[in-house]
Amino acid sequence: MPFSFAHEYPVAFITGAASGIGRELARQLSAQGVAIAAVDRQEEGLRSLEDELRAKGGQIAWAGADVTDAAALNARVAELEARLGPIALVIPSAGVGLETSALSLTAADMAQVLNINLLGVSHTFSAVLPGMLKRRKGHLTALSSLASFRGLPRMLGYCAGKAGLNALMEGLRVEVASYNIHATILCPGWIRTPMTASILAPMPYLMDVDQAAARILWAIRKKKRFYAFPRRLAWRIRFITWLPRAWQDRILRSMLKVK
């Protein structure tokens, strides 16, 4: 039987669905017949997403939620499953790209990045995993980043959160495999979204959001354990991490114009 997203994943739960990569994934999954359970803090963006998907015959239910509030997220998941049915696919897309430099480091900035990018994903999984374990079926994904490969200047919190996310997923994947639950780590490079719109630094191999979403869905369909893209940029970063650390630091200091 040919693969069908709607058959394999009747309901997909997407956080951060009001904009950026989350919104585009909702569009592309809905176009393939998947019912979308969406949450975000931006309720106006969710309303416009609902209008857009329903105009094309899609099915969607949404709720305003902050992924840093675990109790509220649990309640929203229960509400959305009551409306749409059991969640089969989870794509935590809520994230923040706040600059965190060692030269102006604050506890508040680090906490904001880690609470959303790492703990927010953990909260999302804790809300959906009990049902998946009971049904012995599901697919968890994590939108990590090529920035998880090593720490980068001015991106301390972002890199730490994404590296922690990879570690969370690696351990989780081994435990849930016997329950027929798949886990996919996705490590994209630069994507043209509202999060990257204000970045002035060079962004090599910048991808449009629809292109990035299509690659993510390909990796999900193939049930990849780990998928880093674009390939050329991923291999460039991997090569740097294989060098002696003193060389790595010199290369990054030059590339990122760190004094």
Side-chain angles (χ1 to χ4, degrees), residues 192-241:
R192 198 187 309 276
T193 67
M195 186 186 296
T196 59
S198 60
I199 295 177
L200 300 178
M203 292 183 281
Y205 303 100
L206 180 66
M207 294 172 286
D208 288 330
V209 70
D210 57 339
Q211 176 190 16
R215 292 193 181 201
I216 286 168
L217 294 185
W218 174 84
I220 291 171
R221 178 168 62 85
K222 294 293 186 179
K223 294 183 171 62
K224 294 284 188 180
R225 290 176 173 83
F226 184 93
Y227 180 53
F229 64 99
R231 184 175 298 179
R232 290 180 65 185
L233 182 58
W235 276 110
R236 284 177 61 183
I237 298 174
R238 282 196 181 100
F239 175 75
I240 290 174
T241 65

Side-chain angles (χ1 to χ4, degrees), residues 6-243:
H7 179 266
E8 187 75 13
Y9 307 115
V11 180
F13 179 56
I14 304 176
T15 70
S19 64
I21 189 67
R23 188 182 184 102
E24 182 60 29
L25 287 165
R27 285 184 180 122
Q28 294 193 20
L29 283 168
S30 179
Q32 298 190 56
V34 177
I36 306 299
V39 300
D40 202 297
R41 292 185 299 182
Q42 304 173 43
E43 294 193 13
E44 190 57 41
L46 291 174
R47 288 191 186 92
S48 68
L49 176 64
E50 178 181 28
D51 292 342
E52 179 182 346
L53 298 190
R54 289 194 185 281
K56 297 177 181 178
Q59 186 178 9
I60 178 174
W62 62 267
D66 186 334
V67 296
T68 65
D69 187 337
L73 194 58
N74 281 345
R76 300 294 86 76
V77 165
E79 292 169 7
L80 292 170
E81 286 197 315
R83 296 172 63 184
L84 294 176
I87 290 167
L89 172 64
V90 180
I91 308 179
S93 299
V96 63
L98 185 68
E99 179 177 297
T100 46
S101 167
L103 305 184
S104 57
L105 194 63
T106 69
D109 286 346
M110 285 292 288
Q112 181 182 355
V113 175
L114 294 175
N115 282 340
I116 296 173
N117 292 0
L118 178 56
L119 292 181
V121 178
S122 175
H123 294 162
T124 302
F125 290 164
S126 69
V128 300
L129 257 175
M132 288 186 169
L133 291 169
K134 185 176 180 180
R135 295 187 296 273
R136 303 186 72 88
K137 186 175 183 179
H139 195 149
L140 303 172
T141 70
L143 277 177
S144 185
S145 168
L146 294 182
S148 67
F149 286 14
R150 66 146 288 157
L152 299 173
R154 297 186 289 271
M155 297 175 63
L156 308 186
Y158 190 81
C159 293
K162 296 301 187 181
L165 186 55
N166 289 1
L168 183 156
M169 288 291 285
E170 294 283 6
L172 177 151
R173 186 180 66 238
V174 176
E175 288 195 75
V176 302
S178 62
Y179 290 84
N180 193 34
I181 298 172
H182 302 277
T184 299
I185 302 171
L186 300 152
C187 288
W190 296 106
I191 303 174
R192 198 187 309 276
T193 67
M195 186 186 296
T196 59
S198 60
I199 295 177
L200 300 178
M203 292 183 281
Y205 303 100
L206 180 66
M207 294 172 286
D208 288 330
V209 70
D210 57 339
Q211 176 190 16
R215 292 193 181 201
I216 286 168
L217 294 185
W218 174 84
I220 291 171
R221 178 168 62 85
K222 294 293 186 179
K223 294 183 171 62
K224 294 284 188 180
R225 290 176 173 83
F226 184 93
Y227 180 53
F229 64 99
R231 184 175 298 179
R232 290 180 65 185
L233 182 58
W235 276 110
R236 284 177 61 183
I237 298 174
R238 282 196 181 100
F239 175 75
I240 290 174
T241 65
W242 295 336
L243 298 174

